[in-house]
Amino acid sequence: MNHKFLQIHPQDNVLVALTDLTLGDIIEFEAKSITLKDSIPAKHKFALSKLEEGDYVYMYGSVVGKAVSSIPEGGVLTTANVKHEANSFSEKTETTGWTKPDFSRFEGRTFKGFHRKDGQVGTANYWIVVPLVFCENRNVEVIKQAFIDELGFGKPNPFKSLVQQMAELYKSGKKEQIEALVVDEIIEEREPKLFKNIDGIKFLTHQGGCGGIRQDSDMLCALLAGYINNPNVAGATILSLGCQNAQPAILQERLARINPNLDKPVILLEQQREGTENNLLSQAIKQTFIAMAEADQQERQEAPLSKLTIGLECGGSDGFSGISANPAVGHVSDLIVALGGKSILSEFPELCGVEQELINRCVNNEIASKFSKLMVDYAASAEAVGSGFDMNPSPGNIKDGLITDAMKSSGAAKKGGTSPVVDVLDYAEYVTKPGLNLLCTPGNDVESTTAMAGSGANIILFTTGLGTPTGNPVTPVIKVSSNTKLANRMPDIIDVDTGGIISGDKTIPEMGEEMLEHIIKVASGEIKSKAQLLDQDDFIPWKRGVSL
């Protein structure tokens, strides 16, 4: 790889700057000399040849934009001279073949997980406490305060000590010394846990369950059913008010639909039936403690890698994400699929422009048609409220080189590797088929990771170029940086650095295999992901309708 610039695909008419390039620099590409007409920041793109107004911009071999004004050879692409444009898509026109990667290094390998009676295997063992409606959030918080420290899941807060020191300085008239205070590193060691085989008790508060359309409450119940069924969950305590739209019967029906033979403890209490808050909370705490003591009897045992279900996510993406982190994650997905496991690619607004490729990778016409319909319906719903997929890139994305949604999507889709698409799932549907599954979710990081855990992911790989601390309450999230500068600047949130691909020191397959080794350690409980260490328990259900 040339370490100053890169042409991603032979059909591309732009080059990507791998380092900052200066106005007037001469770029030698193939038999051509290009004089830069602008300074090109690293991660941004410049024209390989002159683009006239109306010309298409190609990256990854796909249309990712259209010139809205003339761009000279060696000129930088910006939001001022390029607008979003994407390839159209139609019915499945061919079946894309697939050559499995060399997975011999991982044949026969295992991880140590929690075996559930339905055949799933967890990479962790959590108890969850969830309200069916936002009215119960306060009671969930009371239970949290009662349990966390007493069970040994809490940890010291160095910032509490900081505030105490500042208060003392303020009271003694020494305000000028506050700036010199140093915050101690966050202490990872916790008090000895009472329940040795339980990784934590998690509290999934939210703002849903009532006041919106019935479909939103139904989808919330479907999502929560998926969390209860997730192999990383030992059992659940559910709090209901009683009069809300998200009724216990809907949750129970959704649980039966996902797993009619569910054999996990589910404690369901209704405040309007229990009477006082004291009665409700006393029952919830006592029953939860007894059930957790029983769940603590489970221990990790060896399991084949085919029992892994990997969620594939990106957030805070940059111009390197589609070159390093995403294709490396895609190689992991291909390895997992080749080994008989499952992977989940979500974020449908970030598949804009690559639909036809994914359609052709679908194993049959029925699955391809479901994907097409979900994409069309989603795009139409966005346009109905005055938006559209073209508005998906964030200010951070644009600043770091992703100036159109199609450009962002073409790189984001690389997380799905090259394997066939075995199933397409609507939001809150549970993954059942080994192979690559497409899951309809928003591009919003937390709404997407929330959905993948609810669809059965027991590990999530999350790529980022700008840095984001996102995690999940029940599924370990492994954060993958697209560049080494980020890994060095934010080491507290980054688990794996794929910057070696940009520098030319690592290949995509090498980086993917290193990542899978890291996954095995996290899945076995040998190490925790940075998001787990930070207790980054983000949970946001997708609200698709309006409030009533």
Side-chain angles (χ1 to χ4, degrees):
M1 181 188 292
N2 183 300
H3 300 315
K4 289 187 176 180
F5 60 88
L6 171 69
Q7 184 188 42
I8 298 174
H9 189 279
Q11 294 180 9
D12 295 354
N13 56 4
V14 298
L15 301 177
V16 183
L18 300 181
T19 187
D20 291 341
L21 303 176
T22 305
L23 168 68
D25 281 354
I26 298 176
I27 299 298
E28 301 292 340
F29 178 72
E30 295 180 344
K32 190 174 186 178
S33 294
I34 302 171
T35 301
L36 297 183
K37 306 302 189 297
D38 302 286
S39 290
I40 317 293
K43 309 177 185 179
H44 285 257
K45 292 80 187 170
F46 58 96
L48 182 54
S49 57
K50 185 178 181 181
L51 296 172
E52 300 290 355
E53 181 180 351
D55 284 350
Y56 290 125
V57 176
Y58 289 87
M59 280 184 64
Y60 303 95
S62 298
V63 174
V64 298
K66 180 186 284 188
V68 296
S69 61
S70 179
I71 305 172
E73 177 181 283
V76 66
L77 275 62
T78 70
T79 53
N81 58 28
V82 173
K83 70 173 184 178
H84 169 79
E85 188 76 23
N87 289 322
S88 61
F89 60 96
S90 59
E91 296 179 356
K92 183 176 169 68
T93 57
E94 60 181 272
T95 298
T96 304
W98 184 50
T99 302
K100 292 182 180 181
D102 178 8
F103 58 95
S104 56
R105 172 178 171 180
F106 298 96
E107 279 191 290
R109 295 283 299 278
T110 61
F111 71 97
K112 290 185 177 181
F114 293 93
H115 291 247
R116 307 304 180 188
K117 293 182 179 180
D118 60 5
Q120 296 186 97
V121 179
T123 62
N125 198 33
Y126 289 112
W127 190 275
I128 60 173
V129 180
V130 192
L132 276 181
V133 62
F134 58 83
C135 307
E136 292 298 320
N137 282 347
R138 176 186 172 276
N139 288 328
V140 170
E141 289 296 329
V142 172
I143 296 173
K144 180 177 181 178
Q145 293 168 16
F147 269 127
I148 291 295
D149 288 336
E150 296 303 319
L151 297 184
F153 296 121
K155 64 181 178 182
N157 183 347
F159 302 106
K160 185 175 181 180
S161 174
L162 174 64
V163 173
Q164 291 172 347
Q165 293 178 65
M166 290 191 296
E168 290 301 320
L169 290 172
Y170 180 81
K171 287 188 291 186
S172 60
K174 300 176 182 178
K175 290 187 294 182
E176 68 281 356
Q177 296 182 24
I178 289 177
E179 285 291 343
L181 292 175
V182 177
V183 180
D184 295 330
E185 287 293 324
I186 295 177
I187 301 172
E188 296 178 6
E189 294 79 13
R190 308 185 184 208
E191 294 296 322
K193 294 190 300 182
L194 177 64
F195 301 129
K196 305 299 182 184
N197 295 316
I198 293 181
D199 292 291
I201 178 169
K202 299 295 183 175
F203 303 85
L204 282 59
T205 55
H206 56 82
Q207 301 304 314
C210 202
I213 60 175
R214 294 295 193 272
Q215 291 91 328
D216 277 339
S217 294
D218 289 349
M219 284 298 98
L220 175 64
C221 287
L223 178 73
L224 297 182
Y227 269 76
I228 294 169
N229 194 61
N230 188 295
N232 293 355
V233 172
T237 300
I238 311 296
L239 297 189
S240 169
L241 177 60
C243 56
Q244 73 278 351
N245 287 337
Q247 283 289 303
I250 301 174
L251 174 66
Q252 290 164 338
E253 187 275 330
R254 285 290 185 166
L255 271 172
R257 189 185 304 184
I258 291 175
N259 190 347
N261 299 313
L262 182 74
D263 190 10
K264 287 183 183 179
V266 179
I267 300 163
L268 206 161
L269 297 169
E270 190 167 286
Q271 184 172 358
Q272 291 171 348
R273 182 174 298 168
E274 294 293 331
T276 66
E277 285 191 357
N278 183 68
N279 287 343
L280 173 75
L281 292 169
S282 296
Q283 285 299 318
I285 291 171
K286 287 187 292 185
Q287 291 184 39
T288 299
F289 185 93
I290 293 168
M292 287 179 69
E294 181 65 26
D296 187 48
Q297 303 307 308
Q298 302 175 59
E299 296 183 352
R300 290 182 181 270
Q301 298 176 355
E302 301 291 342
L305 299 186
S306 60
K307 293 297 184 179
L308 291 174
T309 300
I310 309 293
L312 312 170
E313 178 69 26
C314 60
S317 300
D318 70 349
F320 286 165
S321 292
I323 303 171
S324 57
N326 290 347
V329 164
H331 189 71
V332 174
S333 176
D334 285 346
L335 289 170
I336 291 295
V337 170
L339 290 162
K342 307 179 186 77
S343 64
I344 305 173
L345 179 64
S346 59
E347 300 181 293
F348 273 26
E350 296 180 11
L351 300 179
C352 178
V354 296
E355 295 98 335
Q356 192 65 53
E357 175 197 339
L358 291 168
I359 287 168
N360 290 341
R361 285 168 59 184
C362 289
V363 295
N364 59 47
N365 290 331
E366 181 182 359
I367 292 170
S369 295
K370 184 176 181 180
F371 174 59
S372 296
K373 185 176 189 308
L374 286 170
M375 286 295 290
V376 169
D377 290 349
Y378 196 161
S381 66
E383 291 168 6
V385 293
S387 187
F389 287 172
D390 60 306
M391 299 179 70
N392 178 262
S394 70
N397 296 149
I398 294 168
K399 180 182 177 182
D400 269 45
L402 299 176
I403 62 174
T404 72
D405 184 55
M407 189 179 290
K408 181 179 180 182
S409 296
S410 295
K414 296 298 179 184
K415 301 190 305 293
T418 60
S419 66
V421 176
V422 298
D423 207 357
V424 173
L425 310 172
D426 199 357
Y427 180 73
E429 289 186 319
Y430 205 84
V431 64
T432 59
K433 297 179 181 179
L436 175 63
N437 296 257
L438 304 183
L439 172 65
C440 184
T441 76
N444 177 289
D445 304 348
V446 178
E447 286 177 321
S448 179
T449 52
T450 296
M452 286 192 290
S455 288
N458 55 12
I459 287 282
I460 293 174
L461 293 177
F462 189 122
T463 70
T464 182
L466 304 176
T468 171
T470 303
N472 183 266
V474 305
T475 300
V477 175
I478 297 173
K479 211 65 59 61
V480 182
S481 70
S482 72
N483 63 90
T484 300
K485 285 184 178 179
L486 169 62
N488 291 337
R489 187 174 68 252
M490 304 179 78
D492 58 328
I493 68 167
I494 298 298
D495 298 278
V496 179
D497 172 27
T498 64
I501 295 172
I502 300 298
S503 66
D505 297 321
K506 293 284 180 67
T507 66
I508 288 170
E510 286 172 345
M511 201 68 249
E513 290 188 0
E514 285 186 25
M515 210 179 303
L516 185 48
E517 293 286 0
H518 191 88
I519 289 170
I520 293 170
K521 291 179 181 178
V522 173
S524 299
E526 295 177 21
I527 59 175
K528 290 190 178 294
S529 72
K530 299 294 179 64
Q532 287 177 292
L533 292 174
L534 289 172
D535 289 326
Q536 197 71 40
D537 294 337
D538 301 302
F539 179 78
I540 303 179
W542 185 15
K543 187 176 184 294
R544 297 169 92 166
V546 297
S547 289
L548 297 176

